[in-house]
Amino acid sequence: MTEQTCGPLRVSCQLLPWSRNIDLRLARRHAGKLHTALPLHFAEVPEGQPGAPALTMPYEDAQQLMDELWHCGLRPTGNAGISGSASNTSSSTGNISSSAALAATERHLKDMRDMAFCLLGAYKV
């Protein structure tokens, strides 16, 4: 099955709260039939060799996967996006939530606007 003749990748993620695992399902239509990804298996490779990628997908499919994981409640860790420094663990107190970060940014921007208007003489504090 080649990528050019396949329909778009469909990603489904489901949080299993009793185990804190996430079920990940991948599916795609080809020639009118549904094809699903099979479970991964691990194989031993010689030390120092990276082995083949477990999965390669187009950017748009990876974005759909990220969106699905977001819906399951996963958020980037504090070091996400910094090569080589991602944390393997997270705690409810160690990471600031997205909504808390947004609220802090909004308060900061309001303070900056107030200072700018005060300096411009638009109003006094």
Side-chain angles (χ1 to χ4, degrees):
M1 179 166 68
T2 64
E3 189 176 314
Q4 292 80 15
T5 61
C6 297
L9 182 68
R10 302 215 22 168
V11 178
S12 171
C13 297
Q14 180 182 13
L15 176 64
L16 307 174
W18 55 88
S19 66
R20 304 254 328 133
N21 289 331
I22 294 178
D23 277 350
L24 171 66
R25 290 182 176 82
L26 305 173
R28 165 174 278 153
R29 290 215 169 266
H30 175 67
K33 295 183 181 177
L34 182 65
H35 296 258
T36 62
L38 299 175
L40 290 174
H41 70 276
F42 292 85
E44 185 177 343
V45 295
E47 198 69 38
Q49 291 187 4
L55 178 65
T56 300
M57 64 176 68
Y59 187 89
E60 295 79 14
D61 293 344
Q63 184 64 57
Q64 184 186 5
L65 172 59
M66 190 66 104
D67 293 344
E68 282 290 311
L69 291 170
W70 184 277
H71 291 304
C72 286
L74 273 94
R75 303 294 183 264
T77 58
N79 294 331
I82 301 171
S83 180
S85 64
S87 171
N88 290 332
T89 62
S90 65
S91 69
S92 59
T93 58
N95 296 326
I96 188 166
S97 72
S98 298
S99 58
L102 178 59
T105 301
E106 288 171 341
R107 286 190 304 273
H108 176 70
L109 289 174
K110 182 186 179 316
D111 292 342
M112 295 298 106
R113 280 192 301 269
D114 290 346
M115 285 179 15
F117 288 133
C118 184
L119 290 172
L120 292 171
Y123 63 84
K124 296 185 187 210
V125 179

